[in-house]
Amino acid sequence: AIPVPADTWAGDTSTATLLSRGLRATLAGNPGLARRMLAVARARPGRDLLQQGVTPLLREAWIDGTAERWDEVIGVIGPTVMGPLELTYSNTAGLPALRWTLADAYEQRGRPDSAAVWMEWLASDLRHLDACIQYRGVLVPLAHQRLVLLYARMGRLADAQRHLAILERWWDRPDDVAQRMLDEARAAVMSLRAMAPRRG
């Protein structure tokens, strides 16, 4: 667990800060405060909210997710992630964050196939990273790593191996954290190979 930083910006009433404080409250296990911060932010003028991209939606989804209301997460995010690329300002949440969260919700609901659909979108259609291009080097390999695990869970060896090969090209010199994730992906594929029926 990562300690939640102290709330030292209570005097800042900007829309961006309200949403950031709502995120902090969510992580701190205070959904009531998180929802109040979100409500105040959503009452701001439309121009202020437009500058926040899809951050308000993401905050709402995370509040529901921490309470394990995964159907509500799907309901909140689903109508938006199918839309066109959104133009957003820097340092705000974009569609990739929503799609990742939607994959979380589907996986938690026991639907790894649906989770894989959104991870495939995140890993392969780089056009949607226009607003989050600075995160491409993080998002894309993490999506491939997650796809290895999802496909291994579903018994889809060929797909798991395909994403493992891509991941190994991305992480050719992994640090300690990436190495552990790479080892986890390799172990999932090796386990699936061991279970695959041998051809006579």
Side-chain angles (χ1 to χ4, degrees):
I2 301 174
V4 178
D7 189 352
T8 58
W9 55 79
D12 184 343
T13 60
S14 67
T15 304
T17 296
L18 288 170
L19 292 170
S20 296
R21 292 183 67 203
L23 171 60
R24 179 198 177 279
T26 302
L27 296 174
N30 190 341
L33 177 59
R35 288 196 179 278
R36 288 195 296 275
M37 293 289 101
L38 180 59
V40 173
R42 281 183 162 161
R44 295 294 173 85
R47 178 180 176 84
D48 286 354
L49 288 177
L50 178 64
Q51 292 177 340
Q52 304 309 312
V54 297
T55 303
L57 278 179
L58 186 64
R59 294 296 178 265
E60 183 177 351
W62 284 14
I63 291 168
D64 287 331
T66 55
E68 299 186 3
R69 293 191 294 266
W70 301 113
D71 289 332
E72 283 82 352
V73 173
I74 294 169
V76 166
I77 295 177
T80 300
V81 295
M82 291 298 294
L85 300 177
E86 101 278 14
L87 296 177
T88 186
Y89 293 77
S90 61
N91 300 318
T92 64
L95 291 181
L98 286 185
R99 288 173 176 142
W100 190 285
T101 304
L102 185 58
D104 286 342
Y106 278 124
E107 187 171 6
Q108 291 293 331
R109 292 291 290 129
R111 296 171 60 183
D113 53 339
S114 295
V117 167
W118 294 106
M119 284 293 101
E120 286 280 7
W121 197 337
L122 188 60
S124 61
D125 185 3
L126 302 184
R127 293 172 298 170
H128 67 261
L129 289 174
D130 61 341
C132 305
I133 195 66
Q134 67 269 36
Y135 305 124
R136 175 178 170 178
V138 175
L139 284 172
V140 174
L142 287 177
H144 285 295
Q145 195 266 357
R146 187 167 180 184
L147 281 163
V148 174
L149 301 180
L150 284 168
Y151 285 133
R153 177 180 169 189
M154 290 186 282
R156 292 169 57 175
L157 179 58
D159 288 319
Q161 291 180 141
R162 173 169 55 89
H163 284 284
L164 177 59
I166 297 171
L167 182 62
E168 289 174 332
R169 290 196 295 272
W170 272 92
W171 284 345
D172 58 341
R173 291 178 294 175
D175 61 16
D176 290 345
V177 174
Q179 185 64 59
R180 287 195 294 272
M181 297 180 75
L182 187 56
D183 290 344
E184 181 183 21
R186 286 170 172 161
V189 169
M190 290 178 62
S191 177
L192 191 56
R193 284 176 183 158
M195 293 187 295
R198 295 184 178 181
R199 295 181 179 177

